[in-house]
Amino acid sequence: MEKTIKRVLKQVIKPHIAIDSNIEHLIENSIEIPPTFEFGERSTNIAFKLASFLKKSPMKIAEELSGEINSIVDEKSLIVKTTSVKGYINFFINFTPFFNSLYSQIKKEGVNYGENQRGNGKKIIVEHTSINPVKPLHIGNLRNAVLGDCIARLYKRNGWEVEIQNLIDDFGRQVATLIWGILNGHHLGVIREINEKYDVWLGKVYSHCNNILAEQDSWNEVDKIMIDMRHDPHMYRFMRNICQACVDSNLETAWRYGITYDYLVWESDISRSGVWEETLRLLEKNSSFRWEKEGPNAGCFIANLGELAEFQDKKNPDKVFIRSNGIPTYVAHDVALQLWKFGIVKANLTSRSVVKQKNEAEETRDLWTSTDFHVSGEAEKSFGKPDRVCNVIGMEQNYEQEIVRYTLKLLSLKKEFVNSFHMSYKHVSAPHARFSGRSGNWLEERAWADAVFEDTYAAAFKAISKKRLDLEDDPIKRNLIVNSITAAAIRYWLIKFSTETEIKFRIEDATSLEGDTGPFLMYSSVRATKILAKLSKIKTFSKHGKYEITQQEKTLILQLYRCPEIVKNAADSFQPLMVAKYAYDLASSFNRFYETSRVINAKTAKLKQFRLALVQIFSIAMQNLLHILGIPIVDEM
RNA sequence: GGAUCCGUGGCUCAGCAUGGAUAGAGCGUCUGCCUUCGGAGCAGAAUGUCGUGGGUUCAAAUCCCUCCGGAUCCGCCA
């Protein structure tokens, strides 16, 4: 439709002014969706833009162009007529051929409707979740995971090969803190409740350990454990087993929400494979990095970021990569990791496939993990070597992520520099503070991912018990449906905000099932499914025959048409929110259609056929969108 | 001190990249709609100095600057 409008516009503008690249650009970006349907299906403000070139008033230009367009179109072309209102040119289209072609397209593309192949098979690594393996996911971690999961799905539908990594930092201070606590028997002071998830209990222990450490001021003992974890095989095995149990428990949570991974990357495996040493050799060869001989940073290895314009305004533009005690800093580690992801340094990790995961659509995905021992005869698979890397990390780490990115620039890794993306988002906040694993405040607010699931489940269960008395005899089916509604509600709630908005955690918002929510989208899809099931015997829509199209139907058709554009823009701007908003608008349009257009009792056979066809393509598009959002598709609810 | 982000009805948020017609939703409040494809829905009402003050422009919630309020960052923490 836009293509046709631009072509016609150029045709009528040409006699008035030469179309150079400047004018061409104006035309390309001038098509918009009018505020109300009375102004047509599309409009353009091109007359305003041309006013200064033609030295005429916008209204006059719009009037002339509109008249000229009307003289070359008729009721058989896609554009039926145009009007000029206050300087705008409004386009009215012929819905019958428009619908016919949209219908054929969506029917033909089916589950692929909305997709494109722009990625052309290129590969992206999306790293998300990546929590320390000492605690459960809290709602903020879940926001990270859901956003990352959604971006991965979006990239896939833009023709990219996607590899989802989850980094397990088992060599960090948080793990050492926990191990210190367990070795000193402090976990015995935290009673594990019946059926309590392991990671939840561990998170309590971890928080407890922090309190004791703060009282005793025994951090030097934790430092010693950090060293022992690296050098004492028994200590390492002890630590890794605990982390493994925690990760297994974390995965259970992720799967409840339809989140799956391709590769769990263990920090200890990375460390032992020599990635850091290789990175250091690479940096040492470059003049932008140096060992400091004097001054406050004497004995440290420094990244000379001050030579970049972007860091000139910093109080201290240079960044310490290796402390004077020889231990690399966190950001240096992240640099090594990024270099490894791009395959600039080689880690030679041993990997094994551990479990077959299923997401909400029952799609199978093998989960692989890096490992410290190889079982002979096991299948191997190589990871990495992407064209692009996207790290989903909170906004408070914007500066660190910039350092990582610009370090690539200092190393003259131009391609890797422009293909490093930090998907940044703000925190989910508790009423008066931020959630933190250390303070354990997620506990008192019931803000860990499993508790939020339970509370939402309870709300959904209450609702379905009222609405679906018939399901009392089928608790298994009811449980499946309630699980789906729960995941839908929470996932949608985490996606619907802009990544730049801090979400205030309030359980009544997360568990809401009405209005701008995930269940609302599911419900519209269920309505369509029900109609389709009842009319499964009607022969397929043919474009011949006459029928009237109502305004609600037109709106729905126009909404359906936008799907591919949204999928493209959402991926390009790293805004899953755009898909959520669009899916909500589409569901809303369908509900209005549903209220005003009876399908089963339509007045004529032809009308019935047309409406059924509209329901069919709505159902296809909505299911594709739900899949991108990771919302389960159900037949009833 | 410097940097980034945020400020939109009572509440929670979209819209800002690429300026454009009457600033959109949801929740809450109020009024209607179940002999009607499933009411987790629909129709309607009320509620707005788009933080403040300037500037640019034919046109500013959107771009630029000031100030006010909030968050985060600028570690040999992770």
Side-chain angles (χ1 to χ4, degrees), chain A residues 274-343:
Chain A
V275 163
W276 169 243
E277 287 73 11
E278 195 183 332
T279 301
L280 180 58
R281 284 198 296 278
L282 193 73
L283 298 178
E284 279 179 321
K285 271 190 271 181
N286 190 295
S287 61
S288 301
F289 305 85
R290 63 171 193 273
W291 286 97
E292 199 78 299
K293 298 234 160 44
E294 48 202 30
N297 292 334
C300 297
F301 186 65
I302 306 289
N304 211 355
L305 289 155
E307 63 186 64
L308 294 167
E310 288 84 353
F311 288 82
Q312 302 271 309
D313 56 20
K314 293 285 177 284
K315 200 199 268 179
N316 215 344
D318 293 343
K319 183 73 195 173
V320 172
F321 272 18
I322 300 179
R323 306 180 185 100
S324 52
N325 65 4
I327 298 173
T329 56
Y330 174 81
V331 69
H333 234 101
D334 260 11
V335 168
L337 200 61
Q338 192 77 345
L339 289 171
W340 168 73
K341 280 180 187 154
F342 274 117

Side-chain angles (χ1 to χ4, degrees), chain A residues 4 7-8 11-12 41 66-82 91-98:
Chain A
T4 311
R7 184 170 47 77
V8 171
Q11 195 180 335
V12 295
E41 281 69 55
S66 171
E68 285 161 32
I69 293 169
N70 286 340
S71 69
I72 57 174
V73 299
D74 56 44
E75 68 270 13
K76 282 190 182 147
S77 47
L78 180 60
I79 299 165
V80 185
K81 63 161 185 174
T82 66
F91 295 82
F92 293 80
I93 64 162
N94 189 344
F95 269 91
T96 306
F98 184 69

Side-chain angles (χ1 to χ4, degrees), chain A residues 269-270 272-275 278 340 345-350:
Chain A
D269 295 331
I270 290 262
R272 279 184 286 97
S273 73
V275 163
E278 195 183 332
W340 168 73
V345 301
K346 311 269 183 289
N348 285 329
L349 297 182
T350 308

Side-chain angles (χ1 to χ4, degrees), chain A residues 89-318:
Chain A
I89 304 170
N90 300 323
F91 295 82
F92 293 80
I93 64 162
N94 189 344
F95 269 91
T96 306
F98 184 69
F99 174 75
N100 287 342
S101 99
L102 185 68
Y103 175 76
S104 329
Q105 186 195 352
I106 297 179
K107 282 292 269 188
K108 190 177 134 210
E109 296 181 7
V111 294
N112 301 319
Y113 177 64
E115 294 186 10
N116 63 74
Q117 293 305 316
R118 292 182 310 141
N120 199 17
K122 280 184 293 197
K123 181 171 173 178
I124 182 169
I125 288 179
V126 176
E127 186 208 306
H128 69 75
T129 312
S130 301
I131 69 168
N132 287 293
V134 296
K135 59 191 177 187
L137 275 80
H138 62 60
I139 189 74
N141 304 135
L142 190 63
R143 185 181 195 186
N144 178 304
V146 168
L147 286 173
D149 185 64
C150 212
I151 277 297
R153 291 163 187 259
L154 268 170
Y155 258 89
K156 205 169 175 187
R157 276 153 196 80
N158 277 272
W160 288 71
E161 185 195 337
V162 178
E163 179 178 311
I164 304 174
Q165 295 189 357
N166 180 2
L167 182 78
I168 315 294
D169 184 7
D170 55 337
F171 257 2
R173 200 177 183 79
Q174 302 209 3
V175 170
T177 299
L178 177 72
I179 298 300
W180 172 86
I182 291 174
L183 290 175
N184 285 288
H186 295 306
H187 61 297
L188 300 173
V190 181
I191 307 289
R192 186 169 173 190
E193 288 168 29
I194 295 171
N195 293 332
E196 184 166 55
K197 272 184 82 235
Y198 181 75
D199 57 359
V200 174
W201 173 73
L202 208 59
K204 289 180 182 174
V205 172
Y206 170 67
S207 172
H208 181 59
C209 293
N210 267 293
N211 292 338
I212 295 173
L213 270 167
E215 277 171 33
Q216 300 184 351
D217 194 24
S218 327
W219 295 102
N220 56 335
E221 292 175 25
V222 173
D223 290 340
K224 187 175 175 303
I225 287 172
M226 276 191 84
I227 294 166
D228 288 349
M229 289 190 323
R230 279 154 227 261
H231 300 297
D232 176 353
H234 295 292
M235 180 67 99
Y236 175 70
R237 178 52 48 203
F238 178 66
M239 173 278 282
R240 180 136 183 178
N241 283 346
I242 290 170
C243 291
Q244 182 68 59
C246 185
V247 169
D248 288 346
S249 192
N250 289 165
L251 284 170
E252 276 178 44
T253 305
W255 294 337
R256 292 176 107 171
Y257 286 97
I259 298 160
T260 55
Y261 309 89
D262 294 304
Y263 197 27
L264 305 178
V265 184
W266 291 70
E267 175 60 34
S268 60
D269 295 331
I270 290 262
S271 268
R272 279 184 286 97
S273 73
V275 163
W276 169 243
E277 287 73 11
E278 195 183 332
T279 301
L280 180 58
R281 284 198 296 278
L282 193 73
L283 298 178
E284 279 179 321
K285 271 190 271 181
N286 190 295
S287 61
S288 301
F289 305 85
R290 63 171 193 273
W291 286 97
E292 199 78 299
K293 298 234 160 44
E294 48 202 30
N297 292 334
C300 297
F301 186 65
I302 306 289
N304 211 355
L305 289 155
E307 63 186 64
L308 294 167
E310 288 84 353
F311 288 82
Q312 302 271 309
D313 56 20
K314 293 285 177 284
K315 200 199 268 179
N316 215 344
D318 293 343

Side-chain angles (χ1 to χ4, degrees), chain A residues 585-599:
Chain A
D585 288 342
L586 183 63
S588 226
S589 300
F590 179 77
N591 281 337
R592 289 190 191 118
F593 155 81
Y594 184 90
E595 296 287 333
T596 52
S597 302
R598 315 302 300 172
V599 181

Side-chain angles (χ1 to χ4, degrees), chain A residues 463-571:
Chain A
I464 206 165
S465 300
K466 232 185 277 173
K467 293 166 202 272
R468 294 290 305 273
L469 298 172
D470 59 305
L471 281 178
E472 270 173 39
D473 300 332
D474 197 346
I476 294 174
K477 190 187 208 176
R478 183 172 60 182
N479 178 50
L480 278 173
I481 295 170
V482 176
N483 269 320
S484 299
I485 293 169
T486 303
I490 302 168
R491 277 191 73 116
Y492 184 87
W493 179 67
L494 288 170
I495 293 171
K496 76 180 209 180
F497 298 97
S498 152
T499 50
E500 286 174 343
T501 296
E502 181 175 300
I503 302 180
K504 287 161 197 121
F505 178 72
R506 284 194 314 216
I507 193 66
E508 61 269 29
D509 290 348
T511 59
S512 169
L513 308 172
E514 291 171 12
D516 185 11
T517 65
F520 177 93
L521 307 190
M522 289 173 99
Y523 190 65
S524 72
S525 172
V526 166
R527 280 179 151 178
T529 303
K530 290 283 175 189
I531 293 175
L532 295 179
K534 287 186 180 165
L535 295 181
S536 58
K537 284 179 189 148
I538 293 201
K539 65 175 183 178
T540 52
F541 175 72
S542 87
K543 60 184 177 181
H544 305 291
K546 280 214 154 177
Y547 51 89
E548 289 298 313
I549 306 181
T550 67
Q551 190 50 53
Q552 286 82 0
E553 287 156 1
K554 287 179 180 176
T555 305
L556 179 56
I557 292 167
L558 287 167
Q559 283 285 0
L560 285 167
Y561 165 81
R562 297 183 61 206
C563 186
E565 174 203 340
I566 302 291
V567 171
K568 177 172 163 288
N569 290 346

